Amino acid sequence: VTVTVTLMFATSLAWAQPPASPAAAPAPPPPPWTGSAGMGLALNRGNTSTTNFNASVEATHDPKTTSVWKFKGLYLRGTNNDVLAVDRLHLEGRNERALSERAYAFGQLQFLQDEFKQIDYMFAPGVGVGYKLVATPTTAFNVDGGLGFKVEKNPGFERRNDAVISASDKFEHKLSPTASITQSFGALWKANEFGDALYTFTVGAAAALTTRTQMKIELLDTYSTRPPNAAVKNNDVALLTALV
């Protein structure tokens, strides 16, 4: 309810602002570096004591040449009656180099640590190619695929090195100058056994509060087809709200 009211209030603020003067000077070109940082916190005290915290960061270096650098990170942590319930860190770095107006090649490195998926650490470097299916001022939709390998360590097991195949998509649509929706999907398959895979899916919405802040709500689903042992569930779902 709080998120809904906040989004409605943000939209009202946006529409209430007066239109720009026709004589206003054109906006300067965007800087090479752009990015954002967000944080969300949920507390409950009384008969139960729960704390849920999330922090995210995104950064892009785009000097308007053929090469673009993208970085992002997400950290989740939660406790229930002082017992740790969530502890997850995901980091990703990626370089995209244009091959044509819509096609591009990429190299990336992903890192994942998830205590309750029993992943001490997982590194997954890879390379591949992608294509911009839609590229307009209001809508962007990219798909890509690649090859790489992953190094994974689970509690009680030796470190494993496996060749992997990756695929992903990313969709973003601006509903208005102050509101947008996003969706992304990622898959990491073991090359010699497609039944062993890790899938991630996110869908979210954001609305501006000011020219530099926004409220964001996002659903994150992580699914592992082969957890380290039978005690670990395949699927984890998190609903995140944050001030960005």
Side-chain angles (χ1 to χ4, degrees):
V1 173
T2 303
V3 172
T4 303
V5 172
T6 303
L7 293 177
M8 293 173 64
F9 179 67
T11 304
S12 298
L13 284 178
W15 284 107
Q17 294 186 10
S21 170
W33 280 101
T34 57
S36 64
M39 186 187 75
L41 180 65
L43 298 172
N44 182 66
R45 296 294 183 268
N47 293 310
T48 61
S49 175
T50 61
T51 302
N52 292 286
F53 171 79
N54 69 81
S56 62
V57 62
E58 293 190 23
T60 300
H61 182 254
D62 184 3
K64 304 305 177 184
T65 60
T66 59
S67 178
V68 179
W69 284 95
K70 299 179 180 181
F71 305 92
K72 66 179 181 179
L74 174 66
Y75 178 62
L76 308 178
R77 185 177 180 86
T79 60
N80 187 359
N81 292 326
D82 297 325
V83 177
L84 189 64
V86 179
D87 188 13
R88 185 176 191 268
L89 174 65
H90 177 254
L91 303 172
E92 182 178 321
R94 180 182 177 106
N95 178 259
E96 296 180 357
R97 185 169 292 273
L99 302 177
S100 67
E101 185 177 351
R102 289 183 177 264
Y104 59 89
F106 70 88
Q108 68 180 14
L109 174 62
Q110 300 180 72
F111 171 83
L112 176 64
Q113 180 273 326
D114 192 329
E115 180 169 344
F116 290 90
K117 272 276 192 286
Q118 294 199 8
I119 300 175
D120 288 334
Y121 61 80
M122 184 189 75
F123 293 94
V127 296
V129 294
Y131 191 78
K132 300 176 182 179
L133 295 176
V134 181
T136 69
T138 58
T139 305
F141 182 37
N142 303 349
V143 295
D144 59 48
L147 301 172
F149 67 93
K150 70 173 182 177
V151 179
E152 183 174 345
K153 175 68 173 64
N154 308 108
F157 293 91
E158 295 293 329
R159 186 183 68 186
R160 304 194 316 272
N161 302 327
D162 299 295
V164 294
I165 298 172
S166 66
S168 68
D169 77 60
K170 186 174 182 180
F171 170 81
E172 182 175 2
H173 177 66
K174 295 180 180 179
L175 300 173
S176 72
T178 60
S180 63
I181 56 174
T182 58
Q183 175 272 323
S184 66
F185 170 79
L188 204 63
W189 296 282
K190 187 187 285 189
N192 61 355
E193 189 177 359
F194 268 66
D196 189 348
L198 179 68
Y199 301 100
T200 57
F201 172 81
T202 62
V203 60
L209 298 178
T210 70
T211 55
R212 285 186 175 268
T213 60
Q214 63 179 195
M215 280 297 299
K216 183 177 183 181
I217 182 169
E218 189 171 56
L219 178 72
L220 169 63
D221 192 349
T222 306
Y223 186 88
S224 175
T225 60
R226 300 280 177 83
N229 58 64
V232 179
K233 293 184 178 181
N234 298 79
N235 206 41
D236 287 296
V237 180
L239 182 65
L240 312 175
T241 58
L243 176 65
V244 179

